[in-house]
Amino acid sequence: MDEDAVKMHIHHTCFSWSGSLWYIDDVYTSLPSRIDPCACTTVKKVSRVLGRHYDSTISPAGVNITQLAVLRCIARRVGEPLVRVAEEMEMDRTSLYRAIAPMIRDGWLTSEDASTSRFRTAEITAKGRKLLTVANKRWERVQRNIIGKFGQREYGKLLAELDRLAECAVEE
């Protein structure tokens, strides 16, 4: 192929090649058009789009969607070790500890260090419960909106398919 981009329109997606670089809808990709997009990258892209949308609705409550997910998980697992929270959220402990550090600093959580007990735990404070109540109302609104547009039945199918996709990544 020559150095000028060669454009092909496939299923309303514009693929182009310039030199040794492939572009899909003017976004660089290392994949030529005949190769399926990376499952991980695709899911992460969707996650970022949804995250920005949820954050725009939830952030006036003073929390982002990731913090809200962590707070909700801790609320469900009262008194349990944080390692259980990390497992439920598919996070490593170090990432979880980094995520809760600002929440402890801001007074949303208190945490028992592992030095006083066998496992580190966290508890939501009154300030954190108040924040959770306000953020949950905002979350319910954005969740209803997204699911309403997508379709309840389709959303159920998507969740099942995402679980199935995740199982494909589990090593036997």
Side-chain angles (χ1 to χ4, degrees):
M1 293 191 173
D2 67 56
E3 292 297 310
D4 293 338
V6 176
K7 299 209 176 218
M8 302 176 292
H9 292 280
I10 302 172
H11 303 292
H12 304 290
T13 301
C14 180
F15 294 89
S16 62
W17 181 83
S18 177
S20 61
L21 303 178
W22 282 95
Y23 292 83
I24 299 176
D25 288 334
D26 296 323
V27 176
Y28 167 73
T29 180
S30 58
L31 300 175
S33 62
R34 68 185 178 278
I35 298 177
D36 288 333
C38 172
C40 182
T41 301
T42 301
V43 171
K44 284 185 177 205
K45 282 179 173 181
V46 171
S47 176
R48 285 190 293 273
V49 169
L50 288 170
R52 282 191 301 269
H53 184 69
Y54 276 74
D55 283 347
S56 70
T57 300
I58 295 168
S59 64
V63 65
N64 65 42
I65 190 62
T66 303
Q67 292 169 321
L68 179 61
V70 170
L71 286 170
R72 293 170 88 178
C73 191
I74 290 170
R76 283 191 301 274
R77 297 183 163 279
V78 175
E80 291 188 37
L82 286 173
V83 68
R84 301 287 177 257
V85 173
E87 287 170 356
E88 180 178 327
M89 297 194 68
E90 297 291 340
M91 296 174 79
D92 61 77
R93 281 184 309 174
T94 303
S95 296
L96 178 63
Y97 292 166
R98 275 196 302 267
I100 68 169
M103 296 182 220
I104 294 168
R105 179 199 65 219
D106 294 343
W108 305 345
L109 297 174
T110 59
S111 179
E112 288 294 321
D113 197 337
S115 64
T116 59
S117 66
R118 184 153 183 219
F119 297 102
R120 186 173 180 190
T121 61
E123 186 176 326
I124 299 177
T125 64
K127 184 178 180 180
R129 282 190 297 279
K130 183 178 178 182
L131 179 123
L132 197 52
T133 299
V134 172
N136 274 334
K137 288 178 185 173
R138 291 178 162 281
W139 176 87
E140 288 169 7
R141 186 172 69 230
V142 71
Q143 180 78 355
R144 257 192 326 271
N145 180 277
I146 291 285
I147 303 307
K149 288 179 179 177
F150 192 74
Q152 186 66 47
R153 187 201 260 106
E154 290 80 3
Y155 182 63
K157 289 177 187 176
L158 175 64
L159 291 178
E161 289 300 304
L162 287 171
D163 284 344
R164 193 168 75 89
L165 182 62
E167 287 173 10
C168 294
V170 176
E171 294 184 29
E172 296 179 26

